[in-house]
Amino acid sequence: MRKLFILFCLAGVALGACAPEKLPSARFDGQEYALAFSAREQAGFVNEYLLPGEDLENYSKMVGVYSFPQMKGISAQQAAEQMARLMQLKNPQAPFDIHNSTDKEAALVDFLVFSPGGSMAEYNVFKYMPDGKGLKAVQFVARWYATQSKDALKNARDFAQTYLGNRQEWVKKVDSMEVPGVYKREYALE
């Protein structure tokens, strides 16, 4: 009987060890985002979260979480200003604004960019905050894709209205959102 009990316990441990790892998720604006990509890059770790059923090539919204351990001695405000300068180099006509965070140590930048040829528009909000000796950032993205249908103009107008109507609210929500920890393992949605 004791051998059977030990065998049962070992089987339970083995099954638990073989169970798939629960991946982190992010919650933003009442929606749950699932981890779609995680990688170590030169600057630190990148985590990207998508809505269910979406993929990294064609998504409507995304939440990103980034770790920048090498950004020692750079304030969150300086990081937001650097992002604005970089974005302006690539998209000189893009509207942007730098915002103060309710957390005096954090800073936000939001901007709207267009792909070459105007086939896609992307609204971004980045919040930079101290993380140990480096920085951490959270990003929210809303995308619009041009269509070739009879509804293309309506589609573009709808995005413009959504962007203009939600811009300040999205900045506030990014500023107040609970930022997930950085997932430090390689992962890609299949």
Side-chain angles (χ1 to χ4, degrees):
M1 183 65 127
R2 182 171 163 83
K3 286 183 184 178
L4 185 59
F5 177 75
I6 291 172
L7 185 60
F8 180 77
C9 288
L10 289 175
V13 169
L15 288 174
C18 296
E21 177 182 9
K22 183 174 180 342
L23 294 171
S25 61
R27 189 155 187 77
F28 179 74
D29 198 18
Q31 294 181 296
E32 194 76 22
Y33 292 73
L35 183 67
F37 179 77
S38 177
R40 176 184 290 280
E41 296 191 352
Q42 187 174 358
F45 265 93
V46 173
N47 298 166
E48 295 178 337
Y49 296 83
L50 299 176
L51 292 170
E54 296 192 342
D55 62 58
L56 291 165
E57 298 299 316
N58 191 10
Y59 60 85
S60 62
K61 295 177 184 173
M62 190 226 8
V63 171
V65 179
Y66 309 93
S67 166
F68 304 114
Q70 294 89 339
M71 294 183 90
K72 297 173 184 152
I74 297 175
S75 72
Q77 182 71 29
Q78 290 168 320
E81 290 167 359
Q82 280 182 342
M83 174 56 83
R85 281 192 298 275
L86 177 64
M87 182 272 312
Q88 284 283 279
L89 284 173
K90 293 183 176 188
N91 293 276
Q93 303 303 318
F96 75 96
D97 201 2
I98 295 175
H99 308 269
N100 294 322
S101 172
T102 54
D103 172 357
K104 301 300 181 204
E105 293 184 19
L108 296 99
V109 60
D110 80 311
F111 53 89
L112 179 65
V113 293
F114 297 90
S115 65
S119 62
M120 181 188 68
E122 186 175 277
Y123 172 69
N124 288 266
V125 181
F126 278 89
K127 178 182 179 181
Y128 293 92
M129 62 209 93
D131 186 36
K133 294 181 182 176
L135 290 176
K136 182 177 179 179
V138 64
Q139 173 191 25
F140 169 70
V141 177
R143 276 189 175 177
W144 165 82
Y145 299 92
T147 62
Q148 299 297 323
S149 71
K150 63 181 172 91
D151 297 330
L153 186 57
K154 180 186 179 318
N155 187 6
R157 284 184 183 142
D158 288 348
F159 178 78
Q161 288 175 338
T162 299
Y163 161 70
L164 293 171
N166 290 315
R167 181 179 179 198
Q168 294 304 317
E169 193 63 29
W170 281 334
V171 169
K172 288 177 188 174
K173 287 179 179 179
V174 168
D175 191 28
S176 66
M177 80 178 280
E178 185 175 325
V179 180
V182 177
Y183 184 72
K184 295 187 176 181
R185 292 189 183 175
E186 303 283 324
Y187 175 78
L189 183 67
E190 296 176 4

